[in-house]
Amino acid sequence: MHLSEHLKGYDKDLAEVVLGIAEVSKDISRGFITHQGKAQSDNIYGEQQARMDVWADELFIKKLGESGLVRYLASEEQPEVMEFKSDTDLGISIDPLDGSSLLSVNLTVGTIVGIQRGGVLKPGNEMVGAMYVIYGPLTVLVYTLGNGVHEFVLNSDGEFVLRKENLTIGSEKRLGQGAARNTYLPFHEEFISRLEADGYKIRFSGSFVADVHQILHKGGVFTYPGYQGSERGKLRLLFECAPMGYIVNQAGGAVSDGYVDLLTIQPQSISELAPVYIGGKREIELIQGIPK
Ligand code: AFP
C-alpha cells in the first residue's frame, strides 16, 4: 500500500504535510550523491554546493512553508520560528538532517519532524503527529498521526510502500548511551550500571534518529543524559527528543528527562535542551525511580 492511500481518513492538511515531507525526503535521498561536500566547496560535478544539512533545510522551508502547507516552521538550522501564509494552523518543528556529522563517514542520518496545531512552542503531548525518515541502506519513513506507528520503505519506483503497520517497541536489551562516562551524574551512573549488570548490549552510532529507530524495533533504551558541564544534556527538546518521544510513546514505549515524562515539558525556547531517556516502559520507570 502506498503512503498516500494509508493517509486516507486523516485530516487533509495533516496528510498533505506528511506527504510533503515524504516528497522532500526523496530529494534528500538522491541529494547525498549530488550534494557531496561542504558549503563553499565544489561537488564531484564541479558545482558549488551548500552543505547537505543547509540544503535539506532550504528544501523543507520551500516545500512546507513557502507553499503554505504549514503556518509555523521551526527548524534546527534557523534561529527563529518562521511564519508563512497558510489556510491551516499547522506548525512543524524539524531537524532536517540529524546526525549530519556522520555524512563524512557514510553512516545513517535522518529527518525528524513534530507536528502541532496553533504554534510550535508546546509540550510534546499536544502534538497531532510526528514522523522521521532515515537514510540508510534503504530510505525508511515512520509516521504517526496519533493512531498507531507505521513504517514505509522507498522502493525502486520512487514510492513509499507500507512495510509494517502498528509498530510496537521490541523487548530486547539494548542500550544507546551518549556523553562521556567520567562526566556522568551519580543517578545516571547507577542507571547504566544496573542495565550493564542486567546484560544490556551497547548500541550507539552518533545519529539519534538511527539509534532510536533501532531501539524502537529491537527494544531497550537510548539515553543522552544531563552530565557534568551540561545538566540539561545535548539534544534539543523540540527538534529531537519530543517528536521521537511521541512516536516511541505511540508504539508502547515511553520517554523521560530522567525526572518526568518528557512529553509534559513546556519548552521555553525553540533551542531548549533536554536530557533524554527513550525506550521501553521498564527502562523509563527504572531511571525515574532512582533517587536524584
Ligand atoms: P549532528 O547532527 O551534529 O551530527 O549531531 C547529532 C546529535 O545531535 C545526535 O543525533 C546524536 O545522538 C548526538 O548528536 C551525538 O553527539 P556526540 O557526538 O557528542 O556523542
Side-chain angles (χ1 to χ4, degrees), residues 175-212:
L175 167 62
Q177 46 174 334
R181 189 143 201 158
N182 61 0
T183 63
Y184 282 179
L185 302 174
F187 68 89
H188 182 73
E189 174 80 52
E190 183 173 342
F191 176 65
I192 297 298
S193 299
R194 285 210 211 170
L195 296 182
E196 283 173 351
D198 198 9
Y200 277 65
K201 283 194 210 166
I202 304 294
R203 292 287 187 273
F204 186 83
S205 74
S207 166
F208 174 64
V209 62
D211 287 334
V212 175

Side-chain angles (χ1 to χ4, degrees), residues 32 45 48 58 67 75 85 94 108 118 136 163 205 215 242 256:
F32 292 118
Y45 305 109
Q48 226 185 41
E58 284 165 4
S67 65
S75 164
K85 249 179 93 158
I94 182 162
T108 298
R163 189 184 215 190
S205 74
I215 297 294
S256 173

Side-chain angles (χ1 to χ4, degrees), residues 97-102 204 206-209 222 224 234-235 240:
L97 220 45
D98 179 56
S100 55
S101 59
L102 294 177
F204 186 83
S207 166
F208 174 64
V209 62
F222 174 92
Y224 208 113
K234 176 184 177 188
L235 303 190
E240 294 169 302

